[in-house]
């Protein structure tokens, strides 16, 4: 059985080598997406506000964005109040499922960019590549399979080299190449596999959730493209935001999901004061009826059941920012480990094939 597992491990890794490397390298880069965006596009990402600066009303900013972009409807709004990072409005072009992004200074109400389709900017394009291979739902499905493959490679590697502890830090530098490559491969794989399994498993969950949503959305009568606002005109989103932040103690809204589909309502996602480092900044929610503005539900992550807390932890576990800059750097490095595994594994495979083809007396030096 161990020989069969070794073959499955080896051939699966070789077959999926290139797409797994794309996922790994782009994932490592995206750990620092905000910093890269701020460096490459400071005029969009950064605002210079005084510590006592007040946010402009959401209703005012929404009106400004829609007035300048009459062919769009709002799909969501990313909110920040740290005096340094700008808000981002997410727009949907009427009659399509194309999403766009526009940046806005929340302290002056000034728009900082033109609407650009998702994937237009470098890091957004890398995110699409990482998540869907630029193939939309087909690529999402492919990514789901690859995430499961990465889980299998991590688990099978741990099983194959379960006795690694005895020689964990042993690198036989003067040994034959295949032995040295094997030592590097085992050391890299065993030390990074637990984190790679977590990253892959959480990514697989998001992919399958997206796939199931897409299937459900296009079942029955199919998807209906937005042509006009689906919420009542008299609703004040600034008032709803204030109500949400009052309803849940210490709640701070971070994202507003607009009702861009017929069965959706108005939902604020946000952060709360908590001692759990794995609670995400979108863990708690407050929902309002899109026609009446009436509060219809709320979820405080501090009072949620174990399953909800577990699933919410996936965000920080996947991107590695639960421990600040230290864990982000660690996750970035771990994300590049498949590159080392791919190089050493490929070299081992080539040397093994060469060794098998040579006469017995020549194999000792390979």
């Amino acid at each position: 059985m161990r020989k069969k597992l070794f073959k499955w491990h080896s051939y699966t890794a070789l077959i999926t080598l290139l797409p797994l490397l794309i996922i790994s390298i782009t994932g490592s880069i995206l750990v620092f997406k905000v910093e890269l965006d701020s460096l490459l596009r400071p005029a969009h990402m950064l605002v210079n506000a005084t510590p006592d600066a007040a946010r402009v009303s959401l209703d005012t900013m929404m009106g400004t964005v829609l007035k300048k972009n009459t062919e769009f409807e709002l799909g969501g709004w990313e909110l920040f109040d740290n005096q340094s990072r700008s808000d981002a409005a997410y727009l949907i072009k009427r009659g399509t499922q194309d999403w766009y992004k526009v940046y806005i200074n929340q302290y002056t109400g000034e728009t900082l960019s033109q609407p650009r389709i998702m994937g237009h900017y470098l890091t957004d394009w890398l995110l699409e590549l990482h998540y869907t291979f630029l193939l939309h739902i087909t690529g999402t499905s492919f990514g789901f399979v690859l995430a499961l493959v990465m889980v299998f490679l991590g688990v099978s590697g741990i099983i194959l080299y379960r006795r690694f502890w005895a020689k964990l830090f042993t690198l036989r530098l003067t040994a034959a190449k295949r032995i040295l490559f094997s030592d590097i491969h085992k050391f890299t794989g065993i030390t990074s596999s637990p984190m790679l399994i977590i990253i892959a498993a959480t990514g697989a969950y998001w992919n399958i959730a997206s796939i199931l949503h897409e299937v459900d959305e296009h079942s029955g009568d199919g998807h209906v493209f937005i042509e006009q606002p689906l919420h009542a005109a008299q609703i004040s989103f600034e008032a709803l935001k204030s109500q949400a932040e009052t309803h849940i103690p210490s709640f701070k809204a971070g994202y507003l999901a607009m009702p861009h589909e017929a069965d959706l309502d108005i939902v604020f996602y946000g952060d709360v004061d908590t001692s759990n480092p794995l609670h995400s900044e979108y863990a708690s929610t407050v929902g309002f009826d899109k026609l009446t503005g009436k509060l219809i539900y709320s979820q405080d992550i501090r009072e949620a059941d174990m399953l909800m807390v577990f699933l919410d932890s996936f965000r920080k576990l996947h991107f590695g920012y639960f421990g600040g800059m230290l864990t982000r750097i660690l996750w970035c490095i771990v994300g590049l480990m498949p590159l080392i595994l791919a190089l050493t594994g490929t070299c081992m495979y080539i040397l093994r094939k060469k060794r098998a083809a040579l006469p017995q007396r020549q194999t000792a030096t390979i």
Side-chain angles (χ1 to χ4, degrees):
M1 184 60 195
R2 191 173 184 278
K3 289 183 178 180
K4 288 183 178 179
L5 184 61
F6 179 78
K7 286 185 177 180
W8 293 342
H9 181 93
S10 301
Y11 288 122
T12 301
L14 287 170
I15 292 170
T16 59
L17 179 62
L18 181 58
L20 284 180
L21 286 180
I22 291 174
I23 290 175
S24 300
I25 294 171
T26 54
S28 288
I29 295 172
L30 290 169
V31 169
F32 296 102
K33 183 180 186 303
V34 173
E35 286 79 4
L36 287 171
D37 283 338
S38 299
L39 179 65
L40 297 173
R41 298 183 288 109
H44 295 164
M45 292 290 295
L46 302 178
V47 295
N48 186 18
T50 60
D52 60 344
R55 287 179 55 91
V56 174
S57 166
L58 260 177
D59 303 311
T60 300
M61 290 191 290
M62 287 178 170
T64 299
V65 170
L66 291 175
K67 187 176 180 179
K68 289 186 175 182
N69 305 282
T70 55
E71 70 274 32
F72 294 94
E73 293 295 341
L74 279 166
W77 195 284
E78 202 170 9
L79 303 109
F80 295 96
D81 196 13
N82 56 11
Q83 281 73 43
S84 61
R85 185 176 172 185
S86 63
D87 275 16
Y90 293 86
L91 306 173
I92 307 172
K93 196 166 188 178
R94 291 199 191 99
T96 74
Q97 57 182 349
D98 298 332
W99 284 67
Y100 291 70
K101 183 192 291 187
V102 60
Y103 295 91
I104 186 167
N105 186 328
Q106 64 271 39
Y107 301 106
T108 65
E110 174 192 5
T111 53
L112 303 177
S113 70
Q114 296 297 317
R116 299 297 183 187
I117 196 164
M118 301 299 292
H120 173 80
Y121 299 112
L122 175 61
T123 57
D124 290 334
W125 182 85
L126 288 174
L127 181 60
E128 291 288 325
L129 179 63
H130 176 80
Y131 185 50
T132 71
F133 289 90
L134 310 180
L135 297 173
H136 304 294
I137 193 63
T138 301
T140 304
S141 303
F142 184 46
F144 171 69
V145 174
L146 287 172
L148 295 182
V149 166
M150 187 174 287
V151 171
F152 166 73
L153 292 175
V155 172
S156 59
I158 291 174
I159 294 172
L160 287 169
Y161 306 118
R162 59 188 179 275
R163 301 179 185 274
F164 74 99
W165 292 111
K167 298 181 179 180
L168 175 60
F169 298 104
T170 300
L171 291 178
R172 290 166 284 184
L173 298 176
T174 59
K177 290 181 181 178
R178 62 184 178 84
I179 296 176
L180 176 60
F181 286 138
S182 177
D183 286 349
I184 296 173
H185 191 84
K186 291 175 186 177
F187 175 82
T188 303
I190 289 298
T191 53
S192 63
S193 281
M195 287 173 281
L196 287 174
I197 290 171
I198 290 172
I199 293 170
T202 52
Y205 168 78
W206 285 333
N207 278 56
I208 193 62
S210 179
I211 294 166
L212 292 175
H213 172 75
E214 188 74 14
V215 170
D216 178 67
E217 185 178 299
H218 288 86
S219 63
D221 296 332
H223 181 75
V224 179
F225 298 118
I226 190 169
E227 295 285 357
Q228 60 185 3
L230 299 180
H231 61 275
Q234 73 272 16
I235 286 179
S236 167
F237 291 94
E238 183 66 28
L240 295 186
K241 174 177 173 288
S242 298
Q243 185 178 348
E245 293 181 336
T246 302
H247 182 73
I248 296 180
S250 77
F251 180 81
K252 191 69 175 177
Y255 184 79
L256 163 61
M258 301 288 288
H260 59 274
E261 296 175 13
D263 59 342
L264 296 181
D265 281 294
I266 301 165
V267 183
F268 285 91
Y269 295 82
D271 199 3
V272 293
D273 295 336
T274 174
S275 59
N276 188 335
L278 295 181
H279 284 168
S280 79
E281 63 273 37
Y282 306 113
S284 298
T285 57
V286 183
F288 299 91
D289 186 277
K290 61 177 175 286
L291 299 178
T292 65
K294 180 181 178 181
L295 191 150
I296 53 179
Y297 72 87
S298 65
Q299 174 68 70
D300 187 336
I301 193 63
R302 295 166 296 192
E303 301 172 0
D305 57 44
M306 290 295 293
L307 178 60
M308 181 67 70
V309 173
F310 175 67
L311 294 177
D312 174 68
S313 69
F314 285 9
R315 178 178 294 275
K316 286 193 173 182
L317 286 174
H318 188 79
F319 294 104
Y321 63 97
F322 55 89
M325 185 58 69
L326 180 62
T327 53
R328 292 173 68 198
I329 292 172
L330 177 61
W331 249 237
C332 178
I333 294 171
V334 168
L336 294 174
M337 290 302 101
L339 179 60
I340 297 175
L341 293 170
L343 291 174
T344 54
T346 302
C347 289
M348 289 163 57
Y349 176 79
I350 293 172
L351 291 174
R352 190 162 57 246
K353 288 295 183 181
K354 285 184 177 181
R355 189 168 182 267
L358 290 176
Q360 187 66 33
R361 65 177 181 276
Q362 297 182 33
T363 60
T365 59
I366 299 179

